[in-house]
Amino acid sequence: MAGSAAASSPPYCGRFAPSPTGPMHFGSLLAALASYLDARSHGGRWLVRMEDLDRPRERPGAADDILTALEQHGLHWDGPVIRQSTRDAAYAAALARLAEQDLLFYCTCTRSQLRGLPVYPGTCRQRRKAPATSHAIRIRVPDQHVSFEDRLQGPQSEQLARDCGDFIVRRRDGLFAYQLAVVVDDAWQQVTHVVRGADLMDSTARQRFLADSLRLAPVSFAHIPVIAGPDGRKLSKRWQAQPLQPGTASASLFSALSALGQAPPADAWGAPVNELLDWAHHHWRWSAVPRERQSSLICGLG
Ligand code: GLU
Ligand code: ZN
Protein backbone atom coordinates (compact mmCIF):
# COMPACT_ATOMS: atom_id res chain seq x y z
CA MET A 1 0.00 0.00 0.00
CA ALA A 2 2.67 2.48 1.02
CA GLY A 3 3.98 4.47 -1.91
CA SER A 4 1.32 3.43 -4.38
CA ALA A 5 -0.23 6.91 -4.57
CA ALA A 6 3.16 8.56 -5.11
CA ALA A 7 4.13 5.98 -7.70
CA SER A 8 1.04 6.80 -9.75
CA SER A 9 1.77 10.52 -10.17
CA PRO A 10 4.00 11.11 -13.19
CA PRO A 11 7.42 12.72 -12.62
CA TYR A 12 7.63 16.50 -12.98
CA CYS A 13 8.28 17.62 -16.54
CA GLY A 14 8.30 21.28 -17.53
CA ARG A 15 8.93 23.01 -20.84
CA PHE A 16 9.65 26.28 -22.62
CA ALA A 17 7.80 26.60 -25.93
CA PRO A 18 8.94 29.65 -27.87
CA SER A 19 7.60 30.65 -31.29
CA PRO A 20 10.51 31.51 -33.62
CA THR A 21 9.11 34.85 -34.73
CA GLY A 22 12.06 36.85 -33.38
CA PRO A 23 14.98 36.74 -30.92
CA MET A 24 14.67 36.11 -27.17
CA HIS A 25 13.93 39.24 -25.18
CA PHE A 26 13.60 39.92 -21.49
CA GLY A 27 9.94 38.80 -21.36
CA SER A 28 10.71 35.42 -22.93
CA LEU A 29 13.74 35.02 -20.65
CA LEU A 30 11.43 35.39 -17.64
CA ALA A 31 9.12 32.63 -18.88
CA ALA A 32 12.06 30.36 -19.70
CA LEU A 33 13.78 31.01 -16.37
CA ALA A 34 10.66 30.53 -14.23
CA SER A 35 9.77 27.23 -15.89
CA TYR A 36 13.41 26.07 -15.76
CA LEU A 37 13.81 26.87 -12.05
CA ASP A 38 10.50 25.33 -11.12
CA ALA A 39 11.41 22.13 -12.98
CA ARG A 40 14.92 21.91 -11.56
CA SER A 41 13.84 22.67 -7.99
CA HIS A 42 11.38 19.76 -8.29
CA GLY A 43 14.17 17.52 -9.61
CA GLY A 44 12.21 17.46 -12.87
CA ARG A 45 12.98 17.42 -16.55
CA TRP A 46 12.88 20.61 -18.61
CA LEU A 47 12.21 20.52 -22.35
CA VAL A 48 12.37 23.08 -25.13
CA ARG A 49 9.79 22.83 -27.91
CA MET A 50 10.04 25.07 -30.95
CA GLU A 51 6.53 26.22 -31.87
CA ASP A 52 7.21 26.80 -35.55
CA LEU A 53 3.65 26.11 -36.57
CA ASP A 54 2.87 29.47 -38.06
CA ARG A 55 5.17 29.38 -41.10
CA PRO A 56 4.15 32.81 -42.41
CA ARG A 57 5.14 34.49 -39.14
CA GLU A 58 8.41 32.63 -38.72
CA ARG A 59 11.63 34.64 -39.03
CA PRO A 60 14.54 32.79 -40.62
CA GLY A 61 17.27 32.11 -38.07
CA ALA A 62 15.09 32.94 -35.06
CA ALA A 63 14.86 29.35 -33.81
CA ASP A 64 18.65 29.01 -33.69
CA ASP A 65 19.00 32.45 -32.13
CA ILE A 66 16.61 31.46 -29.34
CA LEU A 67 18.46 28.21 -28.63
CA THR A 68 21.78 30.06 -28.58
CA ALA A 69 20.38 32.65 -26.19
CA LEU A 70 19.09 29.90 -23.86
CA GLU A 71 22.54 28.31 -23.80
CA GLN A 72 24.25 31.64 -23.20
CA HIS A 73 21.98 32.13 -20.19
CA GLY A 74 22.85 28.67 -18.86
CA LEU A 75 19.36 27.29 -19.48
CA HIS A 76 20.26 23.79 -20.70
CA TRP A 77 17.37 21.57 -21.69
CA ASP A 78 16.86 17.82 -21.60
CA GLY A 79 16.48 15.68 -24.70
CA PRO A 80 16.05 16.81 -28.29
CA VAL A 81 14.28 20.05 -29.26
CA ILE A 82 10.94 19.04 -30.79
CA ARG A 83 9.75 21.19 -33.70
CA GLN A 84 6.05 21.51 -34.28
CA SER A 85 6.62 21.76 -38.04
CA THR A 86 7.35 17.99 -37.94
CA ARG A 87 4.19 17.06 -36.08
CA ASP A 88 1.36 17.51 -38.58
CA ALA A 89 0.42 13.80 -38.51
CA ALA A 90 -0.15 13.94 -34.74
CA TYR A 91 -2.32 17.06 -35.03
CA ALA A 92 -4.33 15.48 -37.85
CA ALA A 93 -4.87 12.37 -35.70
CA ALA A 94 -6.11 14.55 -32.84
CA LEU A 95 -8.54 16.31 -35.19
CA ALA A 96 -9.82 12.93 -36.32
CA ARG A 97 -10.49 11.95 -32.69
CA LEU A 98 -12.43 15.18 -32.16
CA ALA A 99 -14.37 14.62 -35.39
CA GLU A 100 -15.36 11.12 -34.22
CA GLN A 101 -17.07 12.78 -31.28
CA ASP A 102 -18.92 15.10 -33.65
CA LEU A 103 -17.28 18.14 -32.05
CA LEU A 104 -15.98 19.76 -35.26
CA PHE A 105 -17.56 21.76 -38.06
CA TYR A 106 -16.42 23.49 -41.22
CA CYS A 107 -16.52 27.27 -41.23
CA THR A 108 -16.46 29.41 -44.36
CA CYS A 109 -17.03 32.75 -42.62
CA THR A 110 -14.61 35.41 -43.76
CA ARG A 111 -12.73 37.72 -41.45
CA SER A 112 -14.87 40.65 -42.56
CA GLN A 113 -18.08 38.73 -41.77
CA LEU A 114 -16.85 38.16 -38.22
CA ARG A 115 -15.32 41.59 -37.63
CA GLY A 116 -16.63 43.38 -34.57
CA LEU A 117 -18.42 40.32 -33.14
CA PRO A 118 -17.40 39.49 -29.55
CA VAL A 119 -17.46 35.71 -30.19
CA TYR A 120 -18.14 33.43 -33.15
CA PRO A 121 -21.91 33.60 -33.79
CA GLY A 122 -22.34 29.93 -34.73
CA THR A 123 -23.15 30.58 -38.40
CA CYS A 124 -21.62 27.32 -39.72
CA ARG A 125 -22.21 25.15 -36.64
CA GLN A 126 -24.26 22.55 -38.49
CA ARG A 127 -21.88 22.15 -41.44
CA ARG A 128 -20.50 18.65 -41.01
CA LYS A 129 -19.30 18.08 -44.59
CA ALA A 130 -16.19 19.81 -45.91
CA PRO A 131 -17.17 22.41 -48.52
CA ALA A 132 -15.23 22.72 -51.77
CA THR A 133 -14.32 26.32 -50.96
CA SER A 134 -11.59 27.21 -48.50
CA HIS A 135 -12.64 26.80 -44.89
CA ALA A 136 -11.42 26.68 -41.33
CA ILE A 137 -12.31 23.90 -38.87
CA ARG A 138 -13.84 24.96 -35.57
CA ILE A 139 -14.73 23.06 -32.44
CA ARG A 140 -18.15 23.38 -30.81
CA VAL A 141 -17.71 24.55 -27.23
CA PRO A 142 -20.15 23.53 -24.50
CA ASP A 143 -22.34 25.98 -22.67
CA GLN A 144 -20.64 25.33 -19.36
CA HIS A 145 -17.77 26.55 -17.19
CA VAL A 146 -14.23 25.25 -17.58
CA SER A 147 -12.43 25.68 -14.27
CA PHE A 148 -8.83 25.13 -13.24
CA GLU A 149 -6.47 26.11 -10.47
CA ASP A 150 -3.55 28.30 -11.52
CA ARG A 151 -0.62 27.67 -9.18
CA LEU A 152 0.15 31.39 -9.06
CA GLN A 153 -3.10 33.20 -9.90
CA GLY A 154 -5.47 30.91 -7.97
CA PRO A 155 -8.82 29.50 -9.13
CA GLN A 156 -9.89 30.40 -12.68
CA SER A 157 -13.07 29.78 -14.56
CA GLU A 158 -14.23 30.54 -18.08
CA GLN A 159 -17.57 30.04 -19.76
CA LEU A 160 -16.28 29.08 -23.20
CA ALA A 161 -19.55 29.60 -25.07
CA ARG A 162 -19.82 33.15 -23.73
CA ASP A 163 -16.17 34.19 -23.38
CA CYS A 164 -14.64 32.68 -26.48
CA GLY A 165 -17.15 30.81 -28.64
CA ASP A 166 -16.49 27.94 -31.06
CA PHE A 167 -12.80 28.33 -31.83
CA ILE A 168 -10.52 27.42 -34.70
CA VAL A 169 -8.52 24.19 -34.55
CA ARG A 170 -7.35 24.25 -38.17
CA ARG A 171 -6.97 27.48 -40.01
CA ARG A 172 -8.28 28.40 -43.41
CA ASP A 173 -4.69 28.27 -44.76
CA GLY A 174 -4.51 24.62 -43.65
CA LEU A 175 -2.24 25.21 -40.65
CA PHE A 176 -3.16 23.63 -37.34
CA ALA A 177 -4.06 26.08 -34.62
CA TYR A 178 -1.70 26.79 -31.74
CA GLN A 179 -4.41 25.76 -29.23
CA LEU A 180 -4.56 22.25 -30.64
CA ALA A 181 -0.83 21.77 -31.18
CA VAL A 182 0.16 22.86 -27.69
CA VAL A 183 -2.27 20.41 -26.07
CA VAL A 184 -1.27 17.49 -28.29
CA ASP A 185 2.44 18.13 -27.73
CA ASP A 186 2.31 18.73 -23.99
CA ALA A 187 0.57 15.36 -23.61
CA TRP A 188 2.86 13.54 -26.04
CA GLN A 189 5.97 14.90 -24.31
CA GLN A 190 4.47 13.99 -20.91
CA VAL A 191 4.68 17.56 -19.68
CA THR A 192 3.12 17.83 -16.22
CA HIS A 193 3.74 21.52 -15.38
CA VAL A 194 3.39 24.56 -17.62
CA VAL A 195 4.86 27.87 -16.44
CA ARG A 196 4.36 30.70 -18.95
CA GLY A 197 3.37 34.35 -19.33
CA ALA A 198 -0.03 35.56 -18.17
CA ASP A 199 -0.80 36.70 -21.72
CA LEU A 200 -1.64 33.03 -22.33
CA MET A 201 -4.05 32.80 -19.40
CA ASP A 202 -6.99 33.38 -21.73
CA SER A 203 -6.00 30.36 -23.82
CA THR A 204 -5.92 28.00 -20.87
CA ALA A 205 -9.62 27.14 -20.64
CA ARG A 206 -9.64 26.29 -24.35
CA GLN A 207 -6.60 24.08 -23.86
CA ARG A 208 -8.11 22.36 -20.83
CA PHE A 209 -11.30 21.71 -22.81
CA LEU A 210 -9.33 20.26 -25.74
CA ALA A 211 -7.27 18.04 -23.40
CA ASP A 212 -10.46 16.77 -21.75
CA SER A 213 -12.10 16.12 -25.13
CA LEU A 214 -9.02 14.18 -26.26
CA ARG A 215 -8.91 12.30 -22.91
CA LEU A 216 -5.40 13.59 -22.21
CA ALA A 217 -4.00 14.02 -18.72
CA PRO A 218 -4.51 17.59 -17.47
CA VAL A 219 -1.37 19.65 -16.89
CA SER A 220 -0.82 22.05 -13.99
CA PHE A 221 -0.63 25.72 -15.04
CA ALA A 222 1.12 28.74 -13.56
CA HIS A 223 1.02 32.13 -15.30
CA ILE A 224 3.73 34.62 -14.40
CA PRO A 225 3.42 38.40 -14.85
CA VAL A 226 4.06 39.82 -18.27
CA ILE A 227 6.59 42.63 -18.39
CA ALA A 228 5.45 45.95 -19.76
CA GLY A 229 7.64 47.91 -22.14
CA PRO A 230 8.26 51.64 -21.85
CA ASP A 231 4.93 52.27 -23.60
CA GLY A 232 3.10 50.20 -20.95
CA ARG A 233 2.32 47.44 -23.42
CA LYS A 234 3.47 43.84 -23.19
CA LEU A 235 7.02 43.25 -24.39
CA SER A 236 6.83 41.02 -27.36
CA LYS A 237 8.94 40.03 -30.30
CA ARG A 238 6.33 41.53 -32.58
CA TRP A 239 6.61 44.86 -30.81
CA GLN A 240 10.35 45.01 -31.29
CA ALA A 241 11.44 44.39 -27.71
CA GLN A 242 15.21 44.61 -27.46
CA PRO A 243 16.87 41.24 -28.03
CA LEU A 244 19.01 39.92 -25.17
CA GLN A 245 22.72 40.53 -25.66
CA PRO A 246 25.24 37.70 -25.26
CA GLY A 247 27.71 39.85 -23.30
CA THR A 248 25.17 40.76 -20.65
CA ALA A 249 23.75 37.29 -19.86
CA SER A 250 24.67 37.47 -16.17
CA ALA A 251 23.10 40.92 -15.75
CA SER A 252 19.95 39.84 -17.61
CA LEU A 253 19.62 36.75 -15.42
CA PHE A 254 20.13 38.83 -12.27
CA SER A 255 17.39 41.23 -13.39
CA ALA A 256 15.10 38.36 -14.36
CA LEU A 257 15.54 36.76 -10.92
CA SER A 258 14.72 40.09 -9.29
CA ALA A 259 11.63 40.50 -11.49
CA LEU A 260 10.55 37.04 -10.34
CA GLY A 261 10.85 38.23 -6.72
CA GLN A 262 13.81 35.94 -5.97
CA ALA A 263 16.08 38.64 -4.47
CA PRO A 264 19.51 37.35 -5.42
CA PRO A 265 22.22 38.51 -2.96
CA ALA A 266 24.02 41.69 -4.02
CA ASP A 267 27.35 39.88 -4.25
CA ALA A 268 25.86 37.60 -6.93
CA TRP A 269 25.85 40.59 -9.29
CA GLY A 270 28.19 39.79 -12.17
CA ALA A 271 28.63 36.14 -11.14
CA PRO A 272 28.98 33.55 -13.94
CA VAL A 273 25.56 32.39 -15.18
CA ASN A 274 25.97 28.84 -13.85
CA GLU A 275 26.67 30.16 -10.33
CA LEU A 276 23.65 32.46 -10.47
CA LEU A 277 21.43 29.62 -11.66
CA ASP A 278 22.81 27.31 -9.01
CA TRP A 279 21.91 29.85 -6.34
CA ALA A 280 18.48 30.38 -7.91
CA HIS A 281 17.74 26.68 -8.20
CA HIS A 282 18.41 26.14 -4.49
CA HIS A 283 16.50 29.24 -3.37
CA TRP A 284 13.56 29.14 -5.78
CA ARG A 285 10.39 30.27 -3.99
CA TRP A 286 7.00 30.36 -5.70
CA SER A 287 5.61 32.42 -2.87
CA ALA A 288 7.93 35.31 -3.82
CA VAL A 289 6.86 35.50 -7.48
CA PRO A 290 4.62 38.56 -8.03
CA ARG A 291 1.01 37.61 -8.58
CA GLU A 292 -0.22 40.42 -10.77
CA ARG A 293 -0.70 39.57 -14.42
CA GLN A 294 1.17 42.57 -15.76
CA SER A 295 4.29 43.73 -13.97
CA SER A 296 4.90 47.45 -13.73
CA LEU A 297 8.61 46.79 -14.03
CA ILE A 298 9.82 48.78 -16.97
CA CYS A 299 12.36 46.94 -18.98
CA GLY A 300 15.33 48.98 -20.03
CA LEU A 301 17.72 46.17 -20.79
CA GLY A 302 19.50 45.57 -24.01
N1 GLU B 1 4.54 29.43 -28.38
C1 GLU B 1 3.81 30.28 -27.48
C2 GLU B 1 4.42 31.68 -27.48
O1 GLU B 1 5.60 31.82 -27.77
C3 GLU B 1 3.84 29.81 -26.04
C4 GLU B 1 3.08 28.56 -25.84
C5 GLU B 1 2.96 28.12 -24.40
O2 GLU B 1 3.84 28.38 -23.57
O3 GLU B 1 1.99 27.44 -24.13
O4 GLU B 1 3.73 32.62 -27.20
ZN1 ZN C 1 -18.54 30.14 -40.06
Side-chain angles (χ1 to χ4, degrees):
M1 197 185 86
S4 59
S8 66
S9 70
Y12 187 115
C13 180
R15 52 67 161 179
F16 175 56
S19 306
T21 52
M24 285 273 287
H25 56 68
F26 190 69
S28 34
L29 177 66
L30 275 192
L33 180 62
S35 70
Y36 172 90
L37 289 174
D38 200 49
R40 295 301 188 224
S41 65
H42 281 87
R45 284 165 57 74
W46 187 67
L47 313 177
V48 172
R49 180 172 70 233
M50 202 48 74
E51 300 212 316
D52 53 356
L53 205 57
D54 194 344
R55 279 72 151 185
R57 275 192 49 217
E58 185 166 349
R59 220 214 52 207
D64 287 343
D65 288 353
I66 291 170
L67 297 177
T68 304
L70 287 172
E71 278 170 341
Q72 278 160 350
H73 289 79
L75 301 173
H76 302 295
W77 56 88
D78 296 310
V81 174
I82 297 302
R83 291 172 197 264
Q84 288 191 324
S85 53
T86 65
R87 299 265 305 142
D88 279 0
Y91 309 142
L95 273 196
R97 287 208 299 283
L98 296 170
E100 274 163 24
Q101 300 170 60
D102 194 26
L103 284 169
L104 305 183
F105 64 92
Y106 298 95
C107 170
T108 52
C109 299
T110 60
R111 200 172 288 232
S112 65
Q113 280 169 318
L114 299 177
R115 188 165 300 131
L117 299 175
V119 299
Y120 180 72
T123 319
C124 308
R125 251 193 157 204
Q126 303 312 325
R127 188 179 283 124
R128 289 178 166 80
K129 279 189 69 182
T133 52
S134 78
H135 54 269
I137 300 180
R138 289 181 186 266
I139 185 162
R140 255 182 237 112
V141 298
D143 195 7
Q144 63 197 41
H145 285 273
V146 175
S147 302
F148 63 96
E149 176 77 22
D150 187 284
R151 275 198 294 145
L152 196 58
Q153 313 281 351
Q156 308 289 321
S157 181
E158 226 184 277
Q159 167 72 324
L160 282 179
R162 184 195 63 207
D163 299 336
C164 135
D166 300 334
F167 60 92
I168 291 183
V169 285
R170 210 192 71 192
R171 297 168 14 171
R172 185 183 272 270
D173 58 9
L175 296 178
F176 295 97
Y178 152 70
Q179 306 291 356
L180 179 77
V182 80
V183 167
V184 169
D185 287 340
D186 279 340
W188 177 65
Q189 296 189 282
Q190 297 181 306
V191 169
T192 57
H193 290 71
V194 168
V195 178
R196 60 185 180 185
D199 53 318
L200 290 164
M201 180 69 105
D202 291 346
S203 292
T204 309
R206 274 174 277 176
Q207 293 170 9
R208 190 37 80 76
F209 164 65
L210 280 174
D212 286 351
S213 302
L214 290 164
R215 314 250 187 292
L216 301 173
V219 296
S220 154
F221 289 101
H223 289 88
I224 62 164
V226 163
I227 301 293
D231 58 358
R233 295 174 73 188
K234 178 197 145 190
L235 279 191
S236 102
K237 287 168 272 195
R238 269 183 287 173
W239 293 333
Q240 314 274 298
Q242 298 275 6
L244 295 168
Q245 301 300 323
T248 60
S250 171
S252 301
L253 267 185
F254 191 96
S255 304
L257 288 170
S258 308
L260 290 170
Q262 303 299 306
D267 63 9
W269 174 256
V273 292
N274 55 345
E275 282 175 28
L276 259 180
L277 286 175
D278 194 54
W279 175 89
H281 160 174
H282 290 104
H283 293 84
W284 173 244
R285 282 191 310 134
W286 252 137
S287 57
V289 178
R291 270 164 220 296
E292 65 267 28
R293 292 211 198 169
Q294 172 133 338
S295 168
S296 53
L297 180 84
I298 300 300
C299 173
L301 288 171

